[in-house]
Amino acid sequence: MLFTSAKFIAFLIALVFLYYLVPKKAQWPLLLIGSYAFYYFADTSGMYLIFIITTTISAYFAGIMMNKVNDKSSAYLKANKETLSKEDKKAYKAKMKSKKWAILLVCLIFNIGILSVTKYTNFVINNINTFLSDASKLQPIAMIVPMGISFYTFQTCGYIIDVYRGKHDAQRNPFKLALFVSFFPQLVQGPISRYSDMEASLYKEHKLNESDISEGLTRILWGYFKKLVVADRIITAVTTLISDTAYSGTYVFVAMLFYAFELYCDFTGGIDITIGIARILGITLKENFNLPYFSKNIKEYWNRWHITMGTWFTDYIFYPISVSGPMLKLSKWSREHLGQNIGKRVSVYLSSLIVWFTTGLWHGAAWNFIVWGLMNFVVIMISQELEPLYAKFHGKFKVKDKAWYGVFEIVRTIFLMSMIRMFDCYRDVPLTFKMVGTMFTRVNLKIFVDGSLLNLGITKADYIILVVAFIIILSVSTIKYNRGFVFNKDKYLLRYSLLAVLFVLIIVFGAYGVGYDSTQFIYNQF
Amino acid sequence: MKKRIIVVASLVLILCLVLAAAQRLLMPKYQDDVIEGSMIEEYYDEELNHEVVFIGDCEVYENFSTMKLWEEYGITSYIRGSSQQLAWQSYYLLEDTLKHETPKVVVFNVLSLKYNEPQKEAYNRMSIDGMKWSMSKVNNIKASMTEDEHFLDYVFPILRYHSRWSELEKQDFEHFFTKDKVTHNGYYMRVDVRPQGPFPDPMPLDDYTLGSNAMSYLDKMTALCEEKGIELVLIKAPTEFPYWYPEWDEQIVKYAEDHGLTYINMIPLQDEIGLDMSVDTYDAGLHLNLSGAEKLSLYFGKFLVDNYQLTDYRKNETYAKVYGEKLDYYYKMIEEQKAELEG
């Protein structure tokens, strides 16, 4: 069920009605049934459900086992408080921790294993095949890749790691845990939620409340506006531009900007819908974006774009690697042998490299995604290394606080990020380098005036809509950037009026129905 | 809180009105080029009942002149035709018609029985959009939808036609409130001539059996007419293309025999009707022009009068007045079309 399909909207309306009609105690079980129904409709063979239930069961038992270890440990330490020495306590705690570590490891290997096998087997086969003769090539395996597996696997792993770390207890009700893993709005493309963030609102009894409904609806409509009016309209031009290498030179520049606009509207639009749906149900989800195109450097960009993924990688990969035994040893060794200046960077950059490699791999089982991840690492690393130079520059030229310099930094970041993202477009590493190269070597500004851009599958009317939509999105974003919010809660008349206008705009100018292909959200593939 | 509810309710009302207006504006008006989309809707403007109702595709609405039937025989008739009207669409349109009146004779053109499954969305819309809402329309939609269509798009046509905002023309604004009449009791007039040319040879088929789905709707039409005491007449219009296979014809002959119906295949009767396909067609033999339609109506009208107890309404003042106005419009359109051709 596409979020943009009539079926999904009917499903959602029915679910929301039932949600507020059933006894409050039955709300979360109803959500679980709804989530499983949603997932079942995504694959009526039931295989997707089997995968997600397997993941849930493994996390449930791992969590319960760790709970038991914790309970046993607390009871033992309490009972022997007087008799145990400090060293004994330490040794006992270490023993218990290693037990929990073993449980965690088994659970992580199991779930990451499922993710790896389903998503990466053919990638591995293809890479092995490059070294084999035609006769001995391995056959790709027809693999089921459950929708949103990367999202729910990471979410579940985050949950179990947090139980291990003692951030929260394991959920003792398997059905409640099942809801956390499968909560339907985030199955399509995240966000990757933390149990501690969701727990409070997910299982709570919710009363029908005007602000939840109106604010949820606003987010949903805003998301549909971005997805249906912009992303699903501009996609035709992007597809035309990237599927034919004849569109080189300045066309690549156009493709780059169009794709940046499409991806932004597609992904943030999808997340707006997700958060809006959750809000209507009284559930609070973490924001996944914070005006990413207002970032002044790549580091800031990654703090504003796909936030839940970024923090997941930081908390569950970067930090554990940085403080791991081998890394600390390496850090010590490099400081001794390479000097403080370089030595202190080695472990940080190596951890960062691993994170970006994994981030790339998480996005897709292909080299273009891995190179995309590594390119991000390279740019961030260079930016960091150039920081002293920037400081010198800003010391000499007092431009940092000038508005125009801020705009320059924003444009530079958008340009850089969009260029790196071309690996996602062409999906072929050498081709991406080649095509992006032509952007600088085959400049042809004529295409902006000779009507060439009208041959990309979108009409003059579409361009008008895209420009108007761009102005609307930019205005709303600027208001949010400057004030921190868009609507004042008291101004309900303004909110409802704008909601009505938004609804009409989506209905009339949305790229849906006959003549348009319904497109799944881009991040659904990850 | 009360104030807030009133404000929200008012906004919802305004929203509905705006969407309704937008829908009205964006829906095709079918007033100039493709007028076929207006035909189904026009029926509801009829003030008087009809004794003969035609149902079917272009082989009825382009080949029979209802005004000639009136002028020569005093027959009151209406053609509930639409482009590529499929058998189930004919059935539901008949069902819909019988909610408004009970004619003595229903004439169904059998060509559409060759289609057993939904065909094209564009033709579906022309057959269905103009229908008034009733269970007949609901069932018609359900039976007609192609795989890519959604029921909701019929309930809220704005969901289907929203993208027309960039194609809006003068006629969309001119005909926002009212539409011009484009047919003469369902007859689509063309006065131009394009002689019949050679048709491609018929392609042999793997299976000549008329589809069970289409035939089931013929069964339904037969049952409905029987229930209402209406004579159902099956015809195959005299035009030779699209090809009407003898194997199909045999099945209809047998069906008519089995059900006690009259079936007339008019293709072999071209000479008897007096058709000269070098002057009586406007599109090289696919459909008849005014001249051909009037000849066919003279012929078929006589058959109707001879075989069924039809009333000559020319003697009825009310009918004479209404049909007098219809005839004026008929002749006016003939003159206009001829003038356009000459001009």
Side-chain angles (χ1 to χ4, degrees):
Chain A
M1 263 192 292
L2 285 170
F3 268 9
T4 51
S5 68
K7 259 188 200 166
F8 177 75
I9 292 165
F11 165 81
L12 184 62
I13 292 170
L15 188 76
V16 171
F17 265 101
L18 278 176
Y19 188 74
Y20 287 109
L21 279 177
V22 295
K24 301 218 166 7
K25 276 186 180 174
Q27 283 179 328
W28 74 259
L30 178 75
L31 274 191
L32 176 62
I33 294 167
S35 297
Y36 273 11
F38 174 80
Y39 211 46
Y40 172 77
F41 288 130
D43 167 46
T44 48
S45 75
M47 285 307 290
Y48 285 10
L49 271 180
I50 292 173
F51 275 100
I52 204 165
I53 290 170
T54 307
T55 294
T56 307
I57 292 172
S58 69
Y60 174 73
F61 283 112
I64 292 297
M65 283 161 81
M66 282 198 251
N67 260 5
K68 275 186 182 167
V69 173
N70 283 343
D71 293 347
K72 197 179 155 191
S73 167
S74 305
Y76 179 80
L77 290 171
K78 204 177 170 186
N80 301 286
K81 200 177 170 185
E82 308 300 323
T83 53
L84 286 174
S85 68
K86 209 176 173 185
E87 284 73 32
D88 290 340
K89 280 181 190 170
K90 208 176 165 186
Y92 182 77
K93 278 182 184 173
K95 194 179 147 195
M96 290 297 119
K97 198 178 176 188
S98 71
K99 267 192 178 180
K100 286 205 299 183
W101 171 246
I103 298 166
L104 173 70
L105 210 61
V106 170
C107 185
L108 290 183
I109 289 171
F110 179 71
N111 284 296
I112 302 288
I114 294 176
L115 177 67
S116 308
V117 170
T118 53
K119 227 175 142 177
Y120 302 103
T121 303
N122 285 325
F123 175 59
V124 173
I125 289 175
N126 288 338
N127 282 295
I128 293 171
N129 278 344
T130 55
F131 300 103
L132 300 177
S133 64
D134 282 353
S136 49
K137 278 196 190 321
L138 303 168
Q139 285 300 311
I141 300 165
M143 203 65 83
I144 294 171
V145 185
M147 181 179 83
I149 187 169
S150 303
F151 289 102
Y152 76 70
T153 302
F154 270 40
Q155 185 161 308
T156 310
C157 289
Y159 159 80
I160 205 71
I161 294 169
D162 283 350
V163 172
Y164 167 78
R165 286 175 176 173
K167 274 185 114 180
H168 53 73
D169 272 349
Q171 173 54 256
R172 289 169 198 273
N173 185 331
F175 299 106
K176 282 189 173 177
L177 181 65
L179 175 60
F180 168 70
V181 176
S182 67
F183 182 49
F184 75 94
Q186 41 178 40
L187 271 178
V188 177
Q189 53 182 350
I192 305 169
S193 297
R194 305 290 175 95
Y195 181 77
S196 50
D197 293 330
M198 276 183 85
E199 187 192 10
S201 61
L202 190 61
Y203 312 119
K204 205 180 132 190
E205 297 178 0
H206 297 282
K207 272 187 186 171
L208 186 64
N209 152 340
E210 194 210 334
S211 73
D212 278 348
I213 299 291
S214 68
E215 284 167 33
L217 262 180
T218 311
R219 283 299 289 268
I220 291 175
L221 286 181
W222 185 232
Y224 276 126
F225 176 78
K226 287 194 269 187
K227 169 71 175 159
L228 290 173
V229 178
V230 180
D232 285 358
R233 171 168 273 109
I234 205 168
I235 190 176
T236 317
V238 174
T239 310
T240 308
L241 286 165
I242 61 171
S243 48
D244 186 349
T245 50
Y247 289 111
S248 60
T250 307
Y251 280 116
V252 179
F253 178 73
V254 173
M256 184 182 88
L257 294 184
F258 279 12
Y259 185 62
F261 195 24
E262 181 203 341
L263 185 67
Y264 173 80
C265 289
D266 191 279
F267 196 14
T268 65
I271 292 293
D272 283 331
I273 297 170
T274 299
I275 292 176
I277 293 170
R279 182 70 198 267
I280 281 181
L281 299 165
I283 294 159
T284 313
L285 292 183
K286 274 263 181 191
E287 290 295 340
N288 212 24
F289 296 95
N290 180 19
L291 305 168
Y293 285 162
F294 281 82
S295 308
K296 291 179 177 167
N297 55 59
I298 304 281
K299 208 172 168 188
E300 185 187 356
Y301 171 87
W302 277 111
N303 286 330
R304 290 172 173 271
W305 175 277
H306 209 346
I307 298 166
T308 58
M309 184 202 69
T311 52
W312 196 97
F313 275 102
T314 306
D315 291 351
Y316 301 116
I317 295 190
F318 181 79
Y319 287 139
I321 290 176
S322 302
V323 298
S324 65
M327 198 57 86
L328 291 175
K329 274 184 195 166
L330 176 70
S331 178
K332 196 181 167 194
W333 181 89
S334 48
R335 276 168 204 259
E336 284 168 9
H337 292 84
L338 305 169
Q340 280 294 324
N341 207 14
I342 298 175
K344 69 180 181 189
R345 288 175 164 84
V346 171
S347 64
V348 176
Y349 284 161
L350 187 59
S351 305
S352 191
L353 176 74
I354 294 168
V355 165
W356 281 109
F357 177 85
T358 325
T359 306
L361 200 61
W362 178 87
H363 276 81
W367 281 108
N368 63 291
F369 289 114
I370 295 170
V371 172
W372 166 83
L374 295 177
M375 287 298 285
N376 273 287
F377 163 73
V378 170
V379 172
I380 291 171
M381 195 184 71
I382 291 173
S383 308
Q384 267 177 335
E385 289 305 316
L386 289 178
E387 253 168 33
L389 214 61
Y390 282 131
K392 264 188 190 173
F393 171 82
H394 289 301
K396 201 170 179 187
F397 304 101
K398 307 288 178 200
V399 291
K400 200 155 180 59
D401 298 326
K402 306 265 186 212
W404 66 265
Y405 189 74
V407 172
F408 160 75
E409 285 180 306
I410 288 171
V411 171
R412 181 191 59 188
T413 308
I414 293 174
F415 184 77
L416 212 52
M417 283 318 297
S418 305
M419 202 152 66
I420 296 173
R421 230 184 258 129
M422 295 309 280
F423 287 100
D424 186 13
C425 280
Y426 291 107
R427 308 232 157 172
D428 180 298
V429 177
L431 179 67
T432 308
F433 279 116
K434 188 184 144 195
M435 296 306 286
V436 171
T438 67
M439 201 161 81
F440 302 99
T441 54
R442 289 186 213 157
V443 177
N444 179 12
L445 298 177
K446 264 189 188 172
I447 63 164
F448 293 109
V449 287
D450 67 2
S452 302
L453 297 183
L454 291 173
N455 299 324
L456 304 177
I458 54 175
T459 62
K460 209 179 263 181
D462 288 321
Y463 278 107
I464 293 170
I465 291 296
L466 289 171
V467 168
V468 173
F470 176 76
I471 292 168
I472 293 173
I473 293 169
L474 183 65
S475 307
V476 170
S477 303
T478 308
I479 292 170
K480 201 177 167 202
Y481 187 74
N482 291 329
R483 296 202 309 188
F485 60 91
V486 181
F487 289 111
N488 189 325
K489 282 196 173 181
D490 302 334
K491 298 195 171 169
Y492 68 93
L493 181 62
L494 176 71
R495 173 190 287 276
Y496 286 126
S497 306
L498 288 176
L499 264 183
V501 172
L502 207 53
F503 187 71
V504 174
L505 290 179
I506 295 163
I507 293 288
V508 177
F509 300 113
Y512 64 88
V514 175
Y516 297 98
D517 287 330
S518 331
T519 49
Q520 180 56 280
F521 289 92
I522 294 172
Y523 262 69
N524 181 257
Q525 67 190 300
F526 302 136
Chain B
M1 192 63 192
K2 199 177 167 189
K3 191 185 161 197
R4 190 173 285 208
I5 292 170
I6 294 170
V7 168
V8 173
S10 311
L11 274 172
V12 170
L13 186 71
I14 294 168
L15 176 66
C16 292
L17 290 173
V18 169
L19 285 174
Q23 177 166 290
R24 180 97 191 162
L25 180 67
L26 291 166
M27 280 186 78
K29 308 297 182 293
Y30 301 114
Q31 293 287 286
D32 286 342
D33 277 352
V34 187
I35 63 160
E36 286 91 329
S38 288
M39 291 176 172
I40 296 299
E41 192 182 355
E42 267 190 19
Y43 169 76
Y44 303 106
D45 295 336
E46 284 293 288
E47 295 165 24
L48 304 171
N49 288 342
H50 314 92
E51 284 199 332
V52 178
V53 168
F54 294 81
I55 44 173
D57 52 17
C58 50
E59 290 202 346
V60 289
Y61 69 74
E62 292 188 90
N63 290 356
F64 291 94
S65 164
T66 49
M67 291 302 108
K68 202 68 193 167
L69 289 172
W70 164 263
E71 208 174 20
E72 290 300 320
Y73 304 106
I75 297 174
T76 55
S77 64
Y78 201 95
I79 303 170
R80 292 217 78 183
S82 54
S83 295
Q84 206 186 67
Q85 189 181 98
L86 303 166
W88 41 96
Q89 294 170 344
S90 299
Y91 168 74
Y92 289 116
L93 278 166
L94 175 62
E95 199 180 67
D96 178 64
T97 308
L98 298 189
K99 283 174 190 151
H100 298 92
E101 57 178 325
T102 309
K104 285 184 177 167
V105 180
V106 165
V107 182
F108 172 60
N109 186 58
V110 294
L111 179 67
S112 63
L113 292 170
K114 69 178 186 168
Y115 297 113
N116 199 42
E117 281 158 6
Q119 299 292 309
K120 277 185 98 172
E121 190 258 357
Y123 292 129
N124 283 347
R125 303 299 313 204
M126 285 197 264
S127 287
I128 298 169
D129 275 346
M131 282 179 83
K132 277 190 178 171
W133 278 101
S134 68
M135 278 316 288
S136 301
K137 179 164 179 167
V138 171
N139 292 328
N140 198 356
I141 295 167
K142 284 187 192 166
S144 302
M145 279 193 300
T146 55
E147 250 179 50
D148 300 332
E149 289 181 77
H150 303 286
F151 187 83
L152 205 61
D153 293 354
Y154 283 93
V155 181
F156 302 109
I158 192 170
L159 299 176
R160 164 64 182 85
Y161 296 114
H162 67 98
S163 54
R164 281 196 73 243
W165 64 269
S166 58
E167 301 158 16
L168 289 177
E169 293 170 353
K170 205 176 155 198
Q171 63 157 311
D172 289 299
F173 296 93
E174 279 175 358
H175 298 289
F176 183 84
F177 292 107
T178 54
K179 282 190 187 180
D180 292 337
K181 237 178 168 35
V182 293
T183 72
H184 306 273
N185 279 26
Y187 167 58
Y188 172 42
M189 180 194 290
R190 289 290 295 258
V191 301
D192 43 332
V193 179
R194 192 173 156 213
Q196 181 170 309
F199 294 124
D201 289 335
M203 297 283 285
L205 304 181
D206 292 335
D207 184 5
Y208 290 91
T209 314
L210 291 166
S212 59
N213 183 39
M215 289 304 284
S216 75
Y217 281 95
L218 179 58
D219 286 341
K220 286 184 173 188
M221 279 185 247
T222 308
L224 185 60
C225 287
E226 199 178 324
E227 185 195 319
K228 299 272 182 181
I230 300 166
E231 295 286 347
L232 176 63
V233 177
L234 307 179
I235 59 156
K236 167 64 193 81
T239 38
E240 293 168 62
F241 194 85
Y243 195 69
W244 180 246
Y245 291 90
E247 292 84 350
W248 290 348
D249 198 59
E250 282 162 20
Q251 290 168 67
I252 301 299
V253 168
K254 178 149 191 331
Y255 185 90
E257 276 171 15
D258 291 349
H259 293 82
L261 303 176
T262 302
Y263 169 54
I264 311 170
N265 179 357
M266 297 174 175
I267 298 170
L269 304 178
Q270 278 191 4
D271 290 340
E272 199 178 320
I273 296 165
L275 289 174
D276 173 358
M277 294 306 274
S278 64
V279 292
D280 288 335
T281 167
Y282 76 89
D283 55 2
L286 271 71
H287 307 97
L288 301 180
N289 58 16
L290 177 72
S291 153
E294 288 195 337
K295 286 177 187 172
L296 180 60
S297 304
L298 276 177
Y299 176 86
F300 193 61
K302 186 169 184 314
F303 163 80
L304 289 171
V305 170
D306 290 348
N307 291 279
Y308 305 100
Q309 305 276 313
L310 300 182
T311 316
D312 183 350
Y313 277 98
R314 285 174 295 186
K315 292 157 196 158
N316 180 308
E317 264 183 43
T318 314
Y319 277 83
K321 186 171 175 284
V322 171
Y323 273 80
E325 285 166 13
K326 285 175 185 272
L327 270 180
D328 289 344
Y329 176 54
Y330 183 72
Y331 283 112
K332 189 176 159 230
M333 189 181 274
I334 293 173
E335 292 312 314
E336 280 173 0
Q337 286 199 12
K338 281 183 176 167
E340 198 180 328
L341 282 177
E342 283 158 15

